[in-house]
Amino acid sequence: MNVVDSSGWLVYFADEPNADFFAPAIENTKELIVPAICLYEVFKRVYQQRGEDDVLKAVAQMQPGQVIELDASLA
């Protein structure tokens, strides 16, 4: 299983130099876990920087992974 932090998602979506590091984990959706807090954090940042259309695309791209509530007991 792979968990990608919000910062990794943002690097991937912005196609920054380290995007290739995160790509294998993000693109392997069968093994991808997406903490719900990451959806919120990515939504907030992408909306600030790019607007509604891009944020909806970004969050939709995160959905094929298994979205979970990451709490202290699970962490």
Side-chain angles (χ1 to χ4, degrees), residues 39-55:
L39 287 172
Y40 167 74
E41 292 171 344
V42 169
F43 183 96
K44 182 178 172 183
R45 189 67 175 152
V46 174
Y47 186 74
Q48 288 173 339
Q49 293 181 339
R50 300 187 203 168
E52 187 174 348
D53 288 339
D54 284 341
V55 78

